Amino acid sequence: MATKAKPIAQVALGLEPGPFHERLVAHNRQQSWVNWMGYASPSVLDNVEFEYFAIRNQSTLFDISPMCKYAITGPDAETVVNRLVTRDIRKLKPGRVAYCIWCDEDGNVVDDGTVFRLSETEFRLCCQEPQLSWLEDIAWGFDVSISDVTRDIAGLALQGPTSCALLKDLGLAGIETLKTFGIAGFEIAGSVVTISRTGFTGDLGYELWIRPADALKVWDALMGAGKLRGLRVIGYEALEMARIEAGFLLPKVDFLSAQTVLRADRANTPYELGLEWLVALDKPHFNGRRALVDLSKQTPRRKLVAIEIERDKPAHNALVYHRKNREVGMVTSALWSPTCKRNIAYAWLDAPYGQSVTDDLWVEIYLQKEIRWQRRMVRCKLVDKPFFAHPRRTATPPADH
């Protein structure tokens, strides 16, 4: 009997197929894949420009199933989550989501992610890096259950200005009343779906959480309803463009986790990352609080800042100089923004640059033209993030567009 051929992504990379893999293979004309936590995730399916502009003008689907997901349940669940993260989770009501970070005992950031409060005693933590051992250490001695539910929950990010209209076309009554960072339950194609108004694009959008057994049914229903709404499946590269515009930081790109760095001075505090607004020093004890109290009184040794660069060449992996001759930092993420029509980037600057010294900053960009490399020194300036902030992201109810 003939055996069924494995999808190309599995053969090429030796990666695990996710719950939507069968559909992704059919859409991935480029057969371009990346490794996301052991899963085959599409990098570019067709054309990165088309995929990017679909985020900003239509609606898009991106498979977020590989994201690490942890269930935290029990009478002491709130206490455990509040001991982990730097925000005051006691203020988070059931049916709401919060963006959070957590730190080691030295006040360095371990990871960032989203905390879903499903009920008084049920939480879900979604993040980029494995955190089970960290959670189990925090939960020791408390009446709480911690479990890795990554493979028990499939996820889809439905993002873009027509995303709400698409869900209404599917008959999801009341979806237009769901506020930003809200959670609600719905039914799609006979399957129970939890929908949160969250995302990584800075645009109007939702994340759908589904049983893996129902994944393909829900996918097909969305694709069917999306024909009149310009729905397009996208890959990582288009999402990367949108997240830079939206002001979101990415682990392993903009910062390193304190639990994975090889050199102690490579870890970063919330104050260096510009995330001090996520630190609630007035709440009960949490991991790293003592160190963060001291750090809050000090000038950060370096700062991750948003910059705008003259001209139109992205400053990938560029160095930053003061007065063109003193090296003071480096660029982590860079992009010529098609929507903002600006040359934007995030850069680490050593103190006092980016803090008390903000003028006469330059970026060193290398361009290859007809095989030859050219060096270009271009002026840059500090700006506020996010670069892209459209009112439709938080509008309730959203327009149909």
Side-chain angles (χ1 to χ4, degrees):
M1 183 173 63
T3 57
K4 186 177 180 181
K6 291 184 178 180
I8 292 175
Q10 288 177 260
V11 174
L13 301 175
L15 299 175
E16 181 176 349
F20 302 102
H21 192 73
E22 183 180 335
R23 300 295 187 267
L24 289 170
V25 167
H27 280 84
N28 197 341
R29 298 176 181 85
Q30 296 274 9
Q31 289 303 324
S32 176
W33 304 89
V34 295
N35 182 348
W36 184 6
M37 297 306 303
Y39 285 94
S41 182
S43 178
V44 179
L45 293 107
D46 186 4
N47 179 290
V48 68
E49 288 80 11
F50 291 166
E51 293 172 25
Y52 164 81
F53 281 110
I55 297 173
R56 297 291 182 234
N57 297 288
Q58 303 157 217
S59 38
T60 58
L61 273 186
F62 180 73
D63 179 14
I64 56 173
S65 302
M67 184 180 295
C68 296
K69 299 177 283 286
Y70 301 96
I72 306 165
T73 60
D76 293 336
E78 180 188 89
T79 301
V80 167
V81 176
N82 215 29
R83 284 175 62 88
L84 172 71
V85 303
T86 60
R87 291 188 81 162
D88 193 345
I89 289 299
R90 297 174 301 174
K91 299 178 180 179
L92 186 65
K93 297 179 180 179
R96 299 290 296 168
V97 185
Y99 172 60
C100 298
I101 57 171
W102 48 101
C103 298
D104 65 10
E105 62 276 9
D106 295 320
N108 293 312
V109 175
V110 172
D111 204 353
D112 67 345
T114 46
V115 173
F116 291 65
R117 185 159 200 170
L118 305 176
S119 73
E120 291 291 342
T121 58
E122 295 176 275
F123 293 82
R124 182 187 300 156
L125 175 66
C126 296
C127 51
Q128 291 286 341
E129 300 290 323
Q131 299 292 335
L132 184 59
S133 61
W134 192 267
L135 287 167
E136 289 175 340
D137 286 346
I138 292 290
W140 188 85
F142 289 93
D143 188 1
V144 67
S145 174
I146 308 288
S147 56
D148 185 340
V149 294
T150 301
R151 285 165 171 74
D152 300 330
I153 303 171
L156 279 175
L158 175 66
Q159 303 282 303
T162 66
S163 55
C164 183
L166 190 158
L167 292 175
K168 289 196 294 183
D169 291 345
L170 275 172
L172 274 62
I175 187 66
E176 69 278 3
T177 65
L178 187 64
K179 296 181 179 180
T180 308
F181 293 107
I183 312 169
F186 295 92
E187 185 176 296
I188 298 176
S191 304
V192 175
V193 179
T194 300
I195 298 181
S196 56
R197 191 169 167 182
T198 50
F200 207 51
T201 65
D203 215 315
L204 173 64
Y206 304 85
E207 291 177 330
L208 286 65
W209 310 96
I210 316 150
R211 291 193 315 128
D214 296 331
L216 297 185
K217 286 194 302 180
V218 173
W219 174 286
D220 292 342
L222 290 167
M223 293 301 294
K227 290 180 180 178
L228 298 179
R229 301 292 179 181
L231 182 62
R232 178 181 287 270
V233 184
I234 66 167
Y236 170 81
E237 289 190 21
L239 183 65
E240 170 74 354
M241 295 172 69
R243 76 92 187 165
I244 293 174
E245 292 177 332
F248 295 125
L249 306 182
L250 190 65
K252 294 183 179 179
V253 176
D254 298 307
F255 70 95
L256 297 175
S257 168
Q259 67 180 356
T260 61
V261 294
L262 299 178
R263 300 170 179 83
D265 65 347
R266 298 297 195 269
N268 304 114
T269 73
Y271 304 106
E272 293 172 342
L273 287 164
L275 298 177
E276 56 271 11
W277 60 278
L278 291 174
V279 180
L281 295 176
D282 57 346
K283 75 170 189 173
H285 176 76
F286 60 92
N287 209 57
R289 183 184 181 280
R290 293 186 183 91
L292 290 169
V293 168
D294 292 336
L295 288 166
S296 68
K297 302 172 185 177
Q298 303 171 17
T299 299
R301 57 187 172 169
R302 62 175 75 95
K303 195 85 171 178
L304 184 65
V305 298
I307 60 175
E308 183 175 345
I309 304 162
E310 290 182 351
R311 306 179 72 171
D312 60 352
K313 299 300 181 184
H316 299 302
N317 304 311
L319 295 177
V320 183
Y321 292 83
H322 183 242
R323 296 178 178 172
K324 293 188 179 182
N325 55 28
R326 180 183 179 88
E327 182 184 325
V328 298
M330 56 167 283
V331 170
T332 58
S333 298
L335 171 74
W336 166 259
S337 169
T339 298
C340 304
K341 301 295 187 288
R342 300 161 66 190
N343 195 4
I344 59 178
Y346 303 122
W348 280 107
L349 299 183
D350 297 327
Y353 304 99
Q355 298 178 65
S356 60
V357 180
T358 60
D359 62 335
D360 212 357
L361 296 173
W362 298 77
V363 173
E364 181 182 38
I365 300 175
Y366 282 86
L367 309 173
Q368 190 180 49
K369 292 187 176 181
E370 295 183 337
I371 305 178
R372 297 178 182 272
W373 285 97
Q374 297 180 2
R375 176 177 179 266
R376 178 181 293 175
M377 293 294 287
V378 185
R379 189 183 295 275
C380 69
K381 63 178 180 180
L382 272 63
V383 295
D384 294 329
K385 63 176 186 178
F387 302 101
F388 175 87
H390 200 286
R392 66 181 172 232
R393 175 177 177 264
T394 56
T396 306
D400 284 345
H401 294 281

